Amino acid sequence: MAWKRVVKRTRPSVEVGWETFGVDGLNYIKTNYEDTGKRTSLSVNSSDDGLVLTYTSVFSSEATKNEFANDSTISTEAARRNQINADNDITKEVTVDEEF
């Protein structure tokens, strides 16, 4: 069964920039997870006021979601991104993490 994970990031104002994965990290994800069918989709939506970004990832299975979450290359890049966002008072909330 497929697995869905939804993460909301909220910033204090539109003057605060979002930190995202760098190009190398995005290319790694494309090659190892998207091109292989392990992550089948990613959508990013912004709230009307621009303060909330909602990321919805769909993985082919719980196992591939766990592989993604435990991948050291992704974890390192995520930690870098998350620290910069936290330093800028951007919060992260996982709202969905389930089979569907």
Side-chain angles (χ1 to χ4, degrees):
M1 297 288 293
W3 197 271
K4 181 192 289 187
R5 182 172 170 89
V6 179
V7 176
K8 288 178 133 183
R9 296 187 187 280
T10 305
R11 61 184 172 178
S13 75
V14 294
E15 286 79 32
V16 175
W18 304 105
E19 183 63 26
T20 61
F21 265 46
V23 172
D24 290 343
L26 293 173
N27 288 337
Y28 179 85
I29 290 169
K30 182 178 183 324
T31 299
N32 293 284
Y33 292 92
E34 293 171 358
D35 292 350
T36 61
K38 293 178 180 180
R39 182 166 78 178
T40 59
S41 71
L42 170 67
S43 64
V44 181
N45 296 297
S46 179
S47 62
D48 290 340
D49 62 8
L51 297 178
V52 178
L53 280 182
T54 302
Y55 295 81
T56 303
S57 292
V58 176
F59 296 89
S60 61
S61 67
E62 182 179 12
T64 58
K65 186 269 300 187
N66 290 338
E67 178 184 344
F68 184 94
N70 294 318
D71 186 303
S72 63
T73 300
I74 294 171
S75 296
T76 298
E77 180 63 5
R80 181 201 64 79
R81 178 210 51 207
N82 292 346
Q83 186 59 58
I84 292 169
N85 280 334
D87 291 346
N88 288 312
D89 296 323
I90 296 172
T91 62
K92 173 186 169 185
E93 176 187 8
V94 176
T95 60
V96 176
D97 194 18
E98 64 189 16
E99 189 174 72
F100 78 105

